[in-house]
Amino acid sequence: MFINKTFVTSFIVLLQSLVLAQSIDLQEYTTNNNLYDSRQGSCAMADIDNDGDFDLIITGADGQLSNRKTTLYTNDGEGNFTEVIGTELSNWSEGGKIAFADVDGDADQDLLITGRDGSPNYYANFYLNDGSGNFTLETTTPFEPSIGGNIEFADIDNDGDQDLFMTGYDNNNLIFSKLYQNDGTGEFSEVASTPFLSVGGSASAFFDMDNDNDLDLILTGKNSNNQKNTTLYRNDGSGNFSLESNTPFENVDLADIDINDCDNDGDLDVLINGENDSFASICQIYLNDGTGVFDLLIETPFMQTSLGTVDFADFDDDNDMDVLVTGSVVGETFAAHIYENQGMNNFSLVDTLVPVYASSTALGDIDNDNDLDVIIIGIAQLSDDIFKPRVYKNMLTPLSTKNISLYPKSFKVNQNYPNPFNPVTSLSYDLPKESFVNITIYDMLGNVVNNLVNTKQSSGYKSVQWNATDNLGQPVSAGVYLYTIEAGEFRQTKKMILLK
């Protein structure tokens, strides 16, 4: 996909003129934080009951590792979470991962949880959602019981359903990497032969590194010889992967990876942390040239961490990617820092949260005020409440009369908020009164791709889908798009990434 970067820059500047620059300020929300302690656990958000807000799941143990718990919380739309009582989710959970995905095409979020119980036995429990947030254990899935790895849903063969990649340690404490294909109904079968390195202490991420409309894979972790690795695999479009040689990534484990277009040039860049071969922590951005060739972005100010997380996120709504970093720095020093992208990948530290390591993060608009909030679990550098999950609300000031709340979401999600998406995204909004609504999709050159809505609408909850087609119904290519929604005096422009 050819993109004129001069036009891209001009169009982004034009969009950013719609809003004033604001400082990033996340404040811990303690008014109604009744979340259970979580040690060696994980967290994730998704709209489990299709009511238009992000709900929450947290796994982990108490401080003594004596009581392990999986807790599901529903959101009241204002960021107040209430525990769901009587779920079928296993209460014995620690050391694993969580992933939501619609595996059976019924437009609700199903759930996979890995971890270990108190025996300890490892498990990989998969639950089907009935659309109202009630989960039922599916007992016939072939997924490997595991800890210490990662789980990633993605459509690897472009057949419109969510496949699964898993890494970690199995019940015999042997490392593995396995790929499972979905038949479209939620029935999975293991792919017999793949080139993926078996790794533990691992992280992984699918993304279209070369703009050829399929999902490639980056993978970190230790192999069976205890060697650290970071490997990149190119997809041929049918789910067949090949190892890329001569990549610039440092070999790491105890890592995390996030993907986004941090320099607004129409391709996907890589943010990664972890512990390298010299047992030093790193936190680095690798910029993509659009073909899958990467270069290290030098002189970034990020705290170097491992046993933590990295997240791209537009916290200040200025259409570029800021960075959140958590984890262990050195010794007993931990971090939770937010770096503002001031344009052209110039980052500066602007906010410091409660420092944590062995951490997990979930990002999304939990209170429907059009900005990104954060939930963080982990071990805190405090004298009390060491294992308490923390809810941070974004204090971004609305820049126009707000007579509409907007919260984009995706039926098929690669991360815990809706970017990137494949193949359909759903834009949902709540009109407090009758309004004329206009929703327009643009490409990165400023051309109108599709007019989704252009009419007067009555008050109430609305949802409109974009199936990645133009105004003539023709499919559009993968890449970065922008949507603008207008209702009364409200106007908002956001970026979204189509992986196809």
Side-chain angles (χ1 to χ4, degrees), residues 24 271 283 285 300-305 309-316 318 320-326 329 335-343 345-353:
I24 297 172
L271 173 63
C283 185
I285 288 178
T300 56
F302 307 138
M303 188 69 76
Q304 310 294 293
T305 62
T309 63
V310 286
D311 291 285
F312 280 124
D314 185 5
F315 286 115
D316 50 4
D318 63 351
D320 57 33
M321 289 296 113
D322 311 302
V323 169
L324 168 64
V325 178
T326 73
V329 182
H337 289 176
I338 297 176
Y339 299 86
E340 180 185 357
N341 188 346
Q342 298 175 329
N345 283 324
N346 294 309
F347 293 90
S348 62
L349 177 64
V350 293
D351 204 0
T352 301
L353 312 179

Side-chain angles (χ1 to χ4, degrees), residues 94 117 152 168 186 196 203 276 361 437 492:
E94 173 213 352
D117 61 22
E152 291 280 339
F196 306 127
N276 65 14
T361 59
V437 178
Q492 184 179 66

Side-chain angles (χ1 to χ4, degrees), residues 146-333:
S146 59
I147 64 167
N150 202 31
I151 50 178
E152 291 280 339
F153 284 102
D155 182 5
I156 58 109
D157 48 6
N158 283 320
D159 62 353
D161 55 46
Q162 296 290 286
D163 309 299
L164 176 66
F165 178 67
M166 298 183 69
T167 63
Y169 295 89
D170 66 16
N171 260 314
N172 296 314
N173 215 34
L174 299 175
I175 57 173
F176 71 93
S177 293
K178 292 187 175 182
L179 183 65
Y180 301 89
Q181 279 186 308
N182 186 351
D183 70 355
T185 69
E187 295 290 332
F188 289 83
S189 58
E190 184 180 348
V191 178
S193 179
T194 67
F196 306 127
L197 190 67
S198 291
V199 287
S202 47
S204 59
F206 283 103
F207 69 115
D208 185 1
M209 68 177 184
D210 47 7
N211 283 325
D212 65 349
N213 301 330
D214 57 45
L215 294 177
D216 312 296
L217 177 69
I218 185 171
L219 174 64
T220 71
K222 279 187 178 180
N223 64 14
S224 57
N225 295 322
N226 214 34
Q227 296 171 322
K228 299 171 184 177
N229 297 268
T230 299
T231 51
L232 186 66
Y233 300 89
R234 190 181 297 266
N235 189 347
D236 70 355
S238 298
N240 303 305
F241 292 84
S242 58
L243 177 66
E244 290 286 290
S245 59
N246 300 319
T247 62
F249 307 112
E250 281 201 57
N251 294 322
V252 291
D253 72 340
L254 307 177
D256 192 34
I257 303 169
D258 200 19
I259 306 293
N260 218 304
D261 181 8
C262 72
D263 50 4
N264 286 317
D265 64 350
D267 54 46
L268 294 173
D269 309 302
V270 175
L271 173 63
I272 188 170
N273 73 346
E275 185 181 89
N276 65 14
D277 287 329
S278 301
F279 302 98
S281 295
I282 67 163
C283 185
Q284 298 171 342
I285 288 178
Y286 293 88
L287 297 178
N288 189 351
D289 72 351
T291 69
V293 175
F294 294 88
D295 288 305
L296 175 66
L297 178 65
I298 62 173
E299 298 182 353
T300 56
F302 307 138
M303 188 69 76
Q304 310 294 293
T305 62
S306 57
L307 272 175
T309 63
V310 286
D311 291 285
F312 280 124
D314 185 5
F315 286 115
D316 50 4
D317 200 24
D318 63 351
N319 290 298
D320 57 33
M321 289 296 113
D322 311 302
V323 169
L324 168 64
V325 178
T326 73
S328 174
V329 182
V330 61
E332 297 182 357
T333 301

